[in-house]
Amino acid sequence: MTKLSRRQFCMTGLALAGAMPLAGTLPASAQQLKGGTLRVAVLSELANYDPQQLSTVNFHVIKNLYDSLIEYTPEGKPEPSLATAWTISPDKTSVSLTLRDGVTFHSGTPFKSDSVLATLQKGADPKRGKNVFSTMSIVKDWSAPDDRTVVINFKAPVPERQILDLLQFLLPIDPKGIDTVETVPAGTGPYTLVSRAVGQGLRLKANPKYWRPNQPVTQDLVFTVFTEDAAASAALESGAVDIVYGGSSRSAVRLKNAGYQVFAGPGPLVQVFRINSTRGPFRNKSFRQAFNHLMDRASILRVGYAGMGQEVALPWAPASPAFDAAYTKTYGYDLEKAKKLIAASGLSADEIKGWKLLVNGSDEASVSISQIVQGSLQKAGIPVELDMRQGAEYVTALLGGDFAATFGAVGNVQKFPSRVATNSIYRTSGNPVLKDPHPHPDYVAAIAKVDAATGSAADVKAAYDNLNKVMVEEAFGVPTNSYDVGLIVASEKIGGITLDIDNLLVARTIGFK
Amino acid sequence: MGFSEARRLLRRLLARRGAALSLAFLAVVALAALFAGLMPLDPLRQNIAESLKPPSPEAWFGTDELGRDILARVVYGARTSLVTAFGAVVIAALIGVPVGLVAGFYGDWRDSILMRCIDVLLALPNILFAMALIAVLGRSQGAALVAVGVAGIPGFARIARAQVMALRQLDFVMAVRGFGGGPAYIMFRTILPNALSPLVVQAIVLASIAILLEAALAFLGVGVPPPTPSWGEMLRTGKSYLYEAPSYAVLPGLVLTLTILSFDTIGRALTAIIDRDETDAIHETAGGGRR
């Protein structure tokens, strides 16, 4: 088991301070909760059941069908789950896991080391590994000395936090069902699938062989898909559902004022103004740096996210070891500073305009905050038009780099800092927006330095500080604010909410008061 | 339809209370849209500190989520709606009427080909067709205008064709033909002036459809891009703030509804007047025959 550093402790404390005012109930262990049928309204239709394709659309089901090798507490402290112990070698080139005994998959297959190996194999496969693949880049190979032990070897010494992030990200899949996991869940989780009506909802029932004592609390878990946030809120207010998961911040604030319980987890997303530094005026560093001061973060947070979240100038949540609040003040909204940087860029008035701001038209918050930025740019003498695209059309442009600038959220901001490089705009190689060779070698070197920082606390801090400095100087991604994803709004009769480090819905501890 | 006939039509229209009220409302909307620039209203000025305020003496319709004056955006939004309606009617009439005239006048293979093309257009739901066209042309007011206009072509074509078929065998047309009038002269100088009344009604009906369609496109997020004010866009955004600021969606929605209702009321009144004229003409003819 590992200890939190003082820095981590302070940062996670900050995260909790942010979350606690919203938390209205005690943990499950402190309450006598009753079972029954838990009815949850969700705002997204899940894509599939593969835990290695984790995204916000399946946040509500993954932790109810699967278990991780290890878990994090909301404070970022690692806890045993399917792995009861883990030992990191002194040279930090391997980790040895001891697996829990007496666990079975939903199919009845006993949980053994072969399932972890199969899961690692899938994660390391470029085609099947999906979101886990990039995280597996540090892994050299793996072995299973016996049924209860797995050893993972790394290509080079890896920081401890990065190893723990990998273990937390691995959710063992039943080897028998690994090829069909997209359509049939194959986990050890607290609930099993009963039925699914595509576009309407999902019904799960308690796993009778679940290994955690007295969990899950409720016997049935029913998800109903709502396409409108207001309709989900109305369902909660009418008593048709017990919980709304993943609703908007604005609805959460309104419902909180109406007496409902609101829970925000420690794993927010960070909204980032993404700049394609391979295009037009954005090739100019000074021009890009002006955008650090063109973001009216307070207004963006207020209008886009009802004030829930934090203004940030770096892509970190407070729980991240690289979080540094000082940057938010230094790189705050300041039109005069922005104008000076634009003037220092040497670009003419004609050169700085003529580009469009790509906007996700399907996301109301993005439309609003893009108009705020459009207003700020107008004041700075940069008139731009909004290029509104809907749904898949927007995602294609975003991930294909077909834009000059746009807002797009990044995740994994509470994990090990180099995990940010799993987001498209922050990738150090194969970057779909900035392409290869990466136009910001200082950034690539800074990420590599963080990955190699396994020495003293001072060395690690220096690596983080260097990364932060490089990020604001290169300014191809300008973070504006963190915001809550996976918000939980619950009726007063609900108790036992567990906050997940990634803000996934953990229903096993939830019950009725 | 000459100037005196138009004046007579207007006088008869004003004699109907509903139509008179509708005309008055549309006149106010049109004047506001036309002279919006002279009013102390700025639809784009953001004041986040004053966002989502209810109606007040400073902001009669309240403010939106960016602190912009909703009244200003409604007034400037009228420009978007009326320009779209006018443009769509012009496009639809300029293409639809000649197509209908040619098809109805010749009535041979030209009629078959042109009307099958019109049938294809007619078979496509307006909103889907407009969305597909915008997907190709890109999201702009021009694209919305063209999309709505193209969707209105079949209406004009079918009415023009029906009018030509009814008029082409009448004596005055035959007389022009006998004096050596060519097909183009007969179609555009002889038949068209006598077929204008139903086409004017169609123009008014299409105007209301165009406004509704433009608002629907904006509501679906494929209309005029922000920050250009649009009633449909205001409805789309305003529905998310129904709890905090009901006036945000309700007032633009009310103006939109009244505008469409006004066009529709005028269209119905005109139809009733024209129908009555035709009935009177038939009775007159029948009476003359008895004498």
Side-chain angles (χ1 to χ4, degrees):
Chain A
M1 298 284 280
T2 57
K3 286 182 179 177
L4 288 176
S5 69
R6 184 181 299 170
R7 182 184 180 83
Q8 284 172 311
F9 181 80
C10 292
M11 291 308 107
T12 49
L14 269 174
L16 272 184
M20 284 311 284
L22 294 161
T25 57
L26 294 167
S29 57
Q31 300 179 5
Q32 291 296 319
L33 297 170
K34 299 185 199 96
T37 300
L38 183 65
R39 301 161 304 167
V40 182
V42 292
L43 275 299
S44 56
E45 171 67 14
L46 80 149
N48 61 55
Y49 302 105
D50 183 359
Q52 297 190 346
Q53 296 184 44
L54 185 67
S55 74
T56 50
V57 296
N58 57 15
F59 266 23
H60 56 285
V61 291
I62 293 300
K63 283 283 169 80
N64 299 310
L65 295 170
Y66 298 88
D67 292 301
S68 300
L69 282 174
I70 68 166
E71 285 287 359
Y72 280 130
T73 64
E75 301 81 36
K77 187 181 163 196
E79 281 186 334
S81 181
L82 289 181
T84 54
W86 54 94
T87 308
I88 297 171
S89 64
D91 62 358
K92 296 180 178 170
T93 56
S94 71
V95 59
S96 177
L97 306 169
T98 304
L99 305 183
R100 187 175 294 279
D101 201 4
V103 177
T104 56
F105 286 99
H106 295 168
S107 65
T109 309
F111 168 65
K112 295 186 296 186
S113 53
D114 63 335
S115 62
V116 179
L117 299 192
T119 305
L120 285 164
Q121 187 74 48
K122 179 178 182 300
D125 185 326
K127 284 184 181 166
R128 297 190 303 146
K130 308 294 179 183
N131 297 353
V132 174
F133 178 69
S134 59
T135 315
M136 288 288 288
S137 62
I138 58 171
V139 176
K140 182 180 157 199
D141 55 31
W142 50 83
S143 61
D146 58 59
D147 280 353
R148 304 254 69 83
T149 309
V150 170
V151 177
I152 303 173
N153 298 307
F154 303 112
K155 293 171 183 166
V158 176
E160 191 173 307
R161 175 75 182 238
Q162 201 171 3
I163 296 172
L164 295 174
D165 280 357
L166 172 66
L167 301 182
Q168 188 265 343
F169 206 37
L170 287 173
L171 294 91
I173 303 170
D174 186 346
K176 283 183 183 171
I178 205 158
D179 293 329
T180 55
V181 70
E182 288 191 0
T183 50
V184 182
T188 59
Y191 291 94
T192 60
L193 178 68
V194 176
S195 61
R196 178 188 178 193
V198 175
Q200 295 174 43
L202 192 69
R203 176 175 278 271
L204 309 181
K205 68 174 182 183
N207 175 3
K209 294 179 182 170
Y210 193 56
W211 56 273
R212 280 188 168 97
N214 304 320
Q215 291 182 15
V217 177
T218 56
Q219 288 77 45
D220 293 289
L221 178 57
V222 178
F223 293 102
T224 306
V225 178
F226 286 81
T227 52
E228 286 288 333
D229 182 55
S233 300
L236 179 67
E237 290 176 289
S238 68
V241 298
D242 307 305
I243 287 175
V244 175
Y245 176 75
S248 73
S249 304
R250 200 171 50 252
S251 292
V253 168
R254 185 183 69 77
L255 290 166
K256 184 171 187 288
N257 291 335
Y260 289 87
Q261 307 176 83
V262 177
F263 302 88
L269 298 181
V270 166
Q271 191 62 272
V272 175
F273 187 78
R274 301 171 181 213
I275 292 173
N276 189 340
S277 57
T278 65
R279 284 191 179 189
F282 295 113
R283 293 191 191 96
N284 186 299
K285 192 170 177 176
S286 182
F287 182 68
R288 288 198 309 273
Q289 287 174 346
F291 284 78
N292 281 320
H293 302 287
L294 280 169
M295 297 295 135
D296 184 356
R297 293 179 173 84
S299 296
I300 287 170
L301 190 60
R302 176 177 168 173
V303 173
Y305 306 97
M308 288 183 75
Q310 272 190 300
E311 297 172 38
V312 295
L314 292 165
W316 316 126
S320 166
F323 180 79
D324 191 338
Y327 277 80
T328 309
K329 194 175 272 185
T330 309
Y331 293 90
Y333 178 56
D334 189 331
L335 272 177
E336 290 313 310
K337 271 189 189 173
K339 284 178 181 172
K340 280 180 189 165
L341 284 164
I342 293 167
S345 72
L347 296 169
S348 69
D350 283 338
E351 285 174 311
I352 62 173
K353 60 186 183 186
W355 53 276
K356 287 185 176 182
L357 176 55
L358 177 69
V359 182
N360 180 4
S362 309
D363 179 37
E364 284 173 23
S366 292
V367 176
S368 296
I369 65 177
S370 296
Q371 288 183 75
I372 293 173
V373 172
Q374 189 185 31
S376 300
L377 291 172
Q378 181 76 38
K379 287 177 192 164
I382 312 172
V384 295
E385 285 180 25
L386 303 185
D387 179 11
M388 306 286 291
R389 308 234 189 132
Q390 302 292 319
E393 194 190 6
Y394 167 78
V395 174
T396 304
L398 178 77
L399 299 181
D402 181 20
F403 63 86
T406 186
F407 273 105
V410 300
N412 289 322
V413 296
Q414 74 283 30
K415 302 282 182 64
F416 187 72
S418 65
R419 280 286 292 279
V420 79
T422 58
N423 294 289
S424 63
I425 188 70
Y426 286 117
R427 275 188 210 161
T428 52
S429 65
N431 189 309
V433 181
L434 308 179
K435 313 292 181 196
D436 287 328
H438 201 288
H440 306 285
D442 288 352
Y443 165 73
V444 177
I447 287 283
K449 193 174 173 187
V450 166
D451 277 340
T454 55
S456 67
D459 287 345
V460 172
K461 185 180 182 312
Y464 294 164
D465 288 346
N466 176 58
L467 176 61
N468 288 344
K469 183 168 160 286
V470 167
M471 282 181 138
V472 291
E473 280 183 358
E474 294 300 324
F476 58 88
V478 180
T480 57
N481 62 291
S482 66
Y483 67 94
D484 296 305
V485 62
L487 272 172
I488 299 170
V489 183
S491 74
E492 57 185 15
K493 64 185 179 185
I494 293 295
I497 300 285
T498 294
L499 296 180
D500 179 73
I501 191 75
D502 295 313
N503 290 10
L504 273 64
L505 181 67
V506 178
R508 64 173 192 268
T509 59
I510 300 175
F512 296 91
K513 292 176 186 168
Chain B
M1 187 163 61
F3 180 68
S4 59
E5 195 180 346
R7 270 183 61 185
R8 191 175 61 86
L9 202 62
L10 183 65
R11 207 167 39 245
R12 292 173 68 186
L13 207 56
L14 289 173
R16 293 166 179 261
R17 190 183 296 167
L21 282 172
S22 299
L23 265 177
F25 179 78
L26 287 183
V28 170
V29 171
L31 286 173
L34 205 58
F35 298 109
L38 301 177
M39 297 182 217
L41 298 170
D42 185 348
L44 302 181
R45 194 177 67 83
Q46 298 178 7
N47 184 3
I48 310 279
E50 293 294 316
S51 62
L52 299 175
K53 294 287 180 200
S56 67
E58 293 76 35
W60 292 358
F61 279 22
T63 58
D64 69 7
E65 81 279 15
L66 298 174
R68 296 175 299 203
D69 186 356
I70 292 175
L71 175 63
R73 294 186 67 74
V74 167
V75 168
Y76 278 84
R79 280 187 175 181
T80 308
S81 291
L82 295 183
V83 166
T84 305
F86 182 75
V89 167
V90 168
I91 288 173
L94 282 180
I95 300 172
V97 171
V99 166
L101 285 177
V102 170
F105 184 78
Y106 291 105
D108 50 11
W109 57 270
R110 279 166 278 206
D111 182 32
S112 297
I113 290 175
L114 288 171
M115 293 322 286
R116 291 306 76 75
C117 293
I118 292 297
D119 286 346
V120 169
L121 266 183
L122 210 58
L124 297 169
N126 283 353
I127 192 86
L128 268 185
F129 179 72
M131 286 173 78
L133 210 57
I134 285 170
V136 175
L137 298 175
R139 195 178 155 172
S140 67
Q141 183 167 10
L145 189 150
V146 170
V148 177
V150 172
I153 290 172
F156 274 103
R158 287 166 72 97
I159 287 174
R161 177 175 175 270
Q163 287 297 308
V164 176
M165 290 175 84
L167 297 173
R168 67 181 177 185
Q169 298 300 333
L170 293 186
D171 291 347
F172 73 99
V173 178
M174 298 307 285
V176 174
R177 199 190 289 265
F179 281 115
Y185 184 87
I186 295 172
M187 277 190 281
F188 291 98
R189 300 295 298 273
T190 310
I191 296 178
L192 185 58
N194 289 286
L196 268 185
S197 296
L199 290 173
V200 168
V201 174
Q202 174 61 19
I204 289 168
V205 170
L206 180 63
S208 73
I209 292 171
I211 290 172
L212 190 62
L213 200 52
E214 187 276 326
L217 289 171
F219 188 82
L220 292 172
V222 291
V224 182
T228 306
S230 153
W231 293 343
E233 179 72 30
M234 294 174 81
L235 277 176
R236 171 186 157 89
T237 316
K239 75 175 168 53
S240 302
Y241 297 94
L242 272 178
Y243 285 104
E244 298 100 320
S247 63
Y248 187 177
V250 169
L251 293 175
L254 193 65
V255 174
L256 173 66
T257 306
L258 288 175
T259 305
I260 293 168
L261 192 66
S262 298
F263 272 113
D264 198 53
T265 304
I266 292 167
R268 283 172 188 276
L270 276 175
T271 307
I273 291 168
I274 291 166
D275 283 351
R276 185 163 181 175
D277 283 354
E278 284 175 359
T279 310
D280 289 349
I282 290 167
H283 286 164
E284 220 169 88
T285 311
R290 273 197 300 274
R291 274 195 299 270

